[in-house]
Amino acid sequence: ETSDGRFVFVLPFGSDVLVGTTDEPFPGDPHRAVATSAELDYLTNLVADVFPAVQLSPRDIVCHYCGVRPLPFAEDLSPGAVSRDHHIELSDGEIPILSLVGGKLTTSRQLGEQVAEMVLQRLGQPRSASSRERMIPGGDLFPSTAADLDSRHRQLADEVQCETGLIRYLDALCGNAFDTVLRSLGPAELRPVVGTQIPRGFVRWSIQNEWVDGLADLVERRLMLALTRQLSLPALRELAELLVEEGVLEAANLEAEIATCEMQLTERYGYRW
């Protein structure tokens, strides 16, 4: 807990550590939100207070990211004191309207259940299914112990003849959903994008099946490379060339797309190339 009464998390994050969050009000366009130097100082100072032997400073930050979380309006409350719970507001009228307030990815399934329940009740319809019996994609047959998971990784790596580290990376990204894709790739398509653990064939599959609309979308959202140490300018170029090969990006726009993505990663994530 910080001196101003907030909680900050210091969590294992792959081979790194994830520290956050802050509660700074942001009135602008959410797409333009970036972590400020004041926020980075606030977080590193907190870690320095809790773990003085680490001697953490802003120079140790590999990368950072920022998002704007919409909160319900609360008069005369600091951002940290505003409720993070979600709720549903009902506006009755000729056409009833349900408004969702709050919520986040980790509670999205619960929120969906509550909304469906309210809609079905108002329609006088019984609920015929529950998400409790629906496995999250990629989670079916997931090993129950770390030893079983490691055995599964080694077995699949032997089967497709690739490095175990590649299997671990894709499993963390997609769960069991990547098995079928990986087994369909030939030796050439198993070759990873330069400096990363992601096979070129998996990148192609992602482009073809996950509605990729550009290089930044591929890097930040589909492959989750923005929060790793694996990004380099040669990797950006190779990924952009795969977008051209798959018809998502015009060859004439390749250089501009790389430059835009490079600038975005520098401004939003603090990348040092």
Side-chain angles (χ1 to χ4, degrees):
E1 185 174 355
T2 64
S3 58
D4 55 0
R6 293 193 62 257
F7 287 101
V8 172
F9 299 93
V10 183
L11 303 171
F13 193 76
S15 60
D16 297 304
V17 176
L18 181 66
V19 181
T21 61
T22 60
D23 274 329
E24 294 297 322
F26 186 80
D29 181 350
H31 291 93
R32 298 186 178 277
V34 296
T36 65
S37 58
E39 289 177 290
L40 299 179
D41 288 341
Y42 173 87
L43 295 173
T44 52
N45 288 339
L46 170 82
V47 176
D49 287 343
V50 178
F51 304 105
V54 175
Q55 297 184 331
L56 190 73
S57 76
R59 294 188 303 274
D60 299 309
I61 298 173
V62 176
C63 68
H64 53 70
Y65 68 96
C66 180
V68 179
R69 181 172 181 178
L71 300 176
F73 176 76
E75 193 80 52
D76 299 326
L77 285 181
S78 66
V82 179
S83 172
R84 266 56 175 171
D85 291 340
H86 64 254
H87 65 279
I88 304 164
E89 294 280 356
L90 172 62
S91 301
D92 265 325
E94 184 175 350
I95 300 177
I97 297 175
L98 297 175
S99 299
L100 316 182
V101 181
K104 56 182 181 177
L105 181 62
T106 52
T107 59
S108 61
R109 192 173 241 201
Q110 181 189 28
L111 180 57
E113 290 174 348
Q114 292 176 358
V115 172
E117 194 76 37
M118 290 185 68
V119 171
L120 289 170
Q121 286 177 357
R122 296 188 67 82
L123 294 175
Q125 297 292 326
R127 180 150 59 98
S128 59
S130 169
S131 65
R132 291 182 182 276
E133 287 77 46
R134 284 189 180 178
M135 193 66 66
I136 293 175
D140 53 312
L141 303 177
F142 196 82
S144 58
T145 69
D148 289 342
L149 181 60
D150 184 63
S151 176
R152 173 181 178 274
H153 288 161
R154 285 186 280 105
Q155 180 180 351
L156 187 55
D158 289 342
E159 180 182 336
V160 300
Q161 297 185 325
C162 68
E163 295 291 332
T164 308
L166 182 152
I167 300 294
R168 291 196 185 100
Y169 186 90
L170 291 182
D171 202 27
L173 186 65
C174 308
N176 292 353
F178 81 92
D179 286 24
T180 303
V181 179
L182 199 59
R183 289 189 175 98
S184 69
L185 302 181
E189 289 293 81
L190 282 172
R191 179 169 65 84
V193 172
V194 61
T196 79
Q197 293 178 297
I198 300 182
R200 289 170 56 88
F202 182 82
V203 176
R204 290 187 190 279
W205 178 89
S206 181
I207 295 171
Q208 295 166 359
N209 293 276
E210 297 189 317
W211 304 282
V212 173
D213 63 11
L215 184 57
D217 182 49
L218 180 64
V219 167
E220 295 179 30
R221 300 179 186 86
R222 312 309 171 191
L223 303 180
M224 300 294 288
L225 279 170
L227 299 181
T228 73
R229 297 174 184 263
Q230 301 181 22
L231 265 181
S232 63
L233 293 179
L236 288 184
R237 178 167 296 278
E238 189 170 351
L239 291 169
E241 289 170 351
L242 286 170
L243 288 170
V244 171
E245 291 176 18
E246 294 300 321
V248 174
L249 178 66
E250 295 287 340
N253 298 329
L254 183 136
E255 296 298 336
E257 185 80 358
I258 294 173
T260 298
C261 186
E262 178 188 351
M263 181 179 66
Q264 187 164 303
L265 289 167
T266 300
E267 293 179 350
R268 293 187 180 179
Y269 296 89
Y271 260 80
R272 298 185 290 270
W273 303 97

